[in-house]
Amino acid sequence: MALLDLTRRGPVFAVPWRDGRDPDTDAECFVSHTVFAYDRWRDLPQIGLAARRAAQLFSRHEGSVVLAQWFLPGRRLMGDLSVWRSETHLRDFLVDPAHVELVARWRGLMHGVHHSWTAPVDRDAIWARAVPLMRSDGRPAAG
């Protein structure tokens, strides 16, 4: 687990990149970054296990390229940064029954903010673009 320092925000613990089913691509891909805020410290162990299950689902899903997960425990934030061959592949993953069940269990205990963009698969560049987004608080803006 790597440790990064986000000035004034505390350390970020990052799980190393995990390859998906299609890690070798030079094509432009769809990048999805979600920042989650969890409400209670006591939920963290179970949320961590759920994140691990989600990573396992990711790795088996068609169109998955690469995944990174990170935790900012001092602010009760965590997130995932997933790269897909296309937005359609991400959408297929989101409606996968196993993913739907995982999300349903944590709805109400966590809140997320989603960002997405397209980019070539350059892990360093994708991570650099995601770091400023980690500074959000994980809660949707009031609208």
Side-chain angles (χ1 to χ4, degrees):
M1 190 173 287
L3 176 63
L4 304 172
D5 184 18
L6 293 179
T7 306
R8 296 185 312 252
R9 298 293 184 170
V12 171
F13 297 93
V15 177
W17 289 95
R18 177 185 188 122
D19 285 343
R21 270 183 65 179
D22 302 322
D24 299 318
T25 181
D26 294 326
E28 185 101 341
C29 289
F30 187 78
V31 180
S32 172
H33 184 224
T34 306
V35 178
F36 297 102
Y38 50 94
D39 296 328
R40 301 180 309 200
W41 283 105
R42 69 177 182 218
D43 292 329
L44 183 58
Q46 291 299 317
I47 290 170
L49 289 173
R52 185 176 176 137
R53 278 190 230 103
Q56 291 168 342
L57 289 172
F58 169 86
S59 295
R60 296 191 311 253
H61 212 280
E62 184 177 344
S64 60
V65 178
V66 67
L67 171 75
Q69 293 175 309
W70 57 268
F71 302 88
L72 187 56
R75 293 181 40 97
R76 289 192 309 230
L77 295 175
M78 62 182 295
D80 62 61
L81 184 57
S82 60
V83 181
W84 300 86
R85 282 192 165 278
S86 71
E87 185 175 3
T88 300
H89 287 107
L90 169 63
R91 290 186 186 282
D92 290 345
F93 173 76
L94 295 176
V95 299
D96 181 293
H99 182 263
V100 170
E101 179 182 332
L102 199 62
V103 170
R105 181 169 183 206
W106 295 103
R107 186 166 284 139
L109 298 176
M110 294 174 56
H111 311 279
V113 176
H114 180 255
H115 308 275
S116 60
W117 63 92
T118 57
V121 182
D122 176 339
R123 295 174 188 201
D124 292 335
I126 290 169
W127 185 263
R129 183 164 176 183
V131 166
L133 302 174
M134 293 175 190
R135 295 184 174 125
S136 73
D137 71 359
R139 298 185 194 288

